Amino acid sequence: MGFNLAIDGPAGAGKSTIAKLVASKKGYIYVDTGAMYRGLAVHFIKKGIDPENESEIIAALDSANVNIGYENGIQQIYLNDENITSMLRNEEVGNMASITSAVPKVRAKLLELQRTLAREKDVVMDGRDIGTAILPNADVKIYLTASAMTRAKRRFDELTAKGIPCDINEIAADIEERDRRDMTRETSPLKKADDAFLIDSSEMTIDEVVDEIIKLCE
């Protein structure tokens, strides 16, 4: 059994950035579970599926094979043997993933792959329900959050730096809607595990968050 660090929190809280840095410093494998759901979301989009049509989503699962690979220590997501990592971070994919990840059979499809990695390796795994559902016995659990406007500003800066026009108020509204969906869904809703450490990064630097988590792992 490997050492398991679970990091949960809402969209835009910086989970992936923090988890990657902690994994690098500790020499662990980083597992971005959100990217796995986005991989399935790409599949649903390619097939033109309505995200509200659960029967179509379930039917499409049989033709989707999502796998994780690593290139130079960086996680890559493969959909039916195609590397789709570069497709994962646009808003359409994010919204599709947020909606379809609430479908129990979608979650079940990816669950065993996630748990197998955790059994065999020292991992840092981030997502919405790692500490509560995926790895309930994780050695250390973190609930990483930040205010909705802080998260919107981070996303705004990221998109602006890429030359993508955007509106910070629209981003904030989208984040709040994702929070609502994630926290109220019937299957594995987003919530802080009882034994998780709460870290609010609104007024913290990335390095400060990373250092605090590493201390908790010692």
Side-chain angles (χ1 to χ4, degrees), residues 38-110:
R38 285 171 180 256
L40 282 178
V42 170
H43 179 67
F44 300 143
I45 290 169
K46 284 186 172 186
K47 295 183 76 67
I49 290 174
D50 179 349
E52 304 293 343
N53 191 324
E54 186 169 321
S55 61
E56 284 189 0
I57 290 166
I58 292 171
L61 288 173
D62 288 340
S63 57
N65 183 26
V66 175
N67 284 307
I68 290 177
Y70 292 89
E71 294 179 7
N72 299 319
I74 299 173
Q75 178 180 277
Q76 306 291 313
I77 297 294
Y78 297 87
L79 171 65
N80 298 331
D81 297 324
E82 176 190 359
N83 189 331
I84 60 165
T85 307
S86 64
M87 305 178 192
L88 300 182
R89 293 300 167 185
N90 70 54
E91 294 299 304
E92 181 184 17
V93 172
N95 286 324
M96 175 68 84
S98 177
I99 296 170
T100 57
S101 64
V103 177
K105 289 193 176 180
V106 170
R107 306 191 75 79
K109 185 176 181 71
L110 298 178

Side-chain angles (χ1 to χ4, degrees), residues 129-150:
D129 63 346
I130 308 305
T132 55
I134 307 302
L135 302 178
N137 298 315
D139 298 276
V140 175
K141 300 177 186 178
I142 305 294
Y143 189 85
L144 180 65
T145 190
S147 69
M149 188 50 68
T150 295

Side-chain angles (χ1 to χ4, degrees), residues 147-165:
S147 69
M149 188 50 68
T150 295
R151 289 182 279 142
K153 179 64 164 56
R154 290 170 180 170
R155 182 62 174 159
F156 175 83
D157 291 344
E158 178 185 348
L159 293 172
T160 301
K162 295 178 180 178
I164 301 173

Side-chain angles (χ1 to χ4, degrees), residues 8-11 13 15 98-99 101-102 107 127-129 132 143-148 151 175-192 198:
D8 289 310
K15 299 184 301 297
S98 177
I99 296 170
S101 64
R107 306 191 75 79
R128 302 288 196 277
D129 63 346
T132 55
Y143 189 85
L144 180 65
T145 190
S147 69
R151 289 182 279 142
I175 283 175
E176 290 173 355
E177 173 59 19
R178 288 196 200 182
D179 286 352
R180 185 198 65 77
R181 284 199 302 260
D182 289 342
M183 292 176 178
T184 60
R185 67 190 183 203
E186 291 185 13
T187 302
S188 298
L190 169 65
K191 62 181 180 179
K192 176 183 171 294
L198 174 65

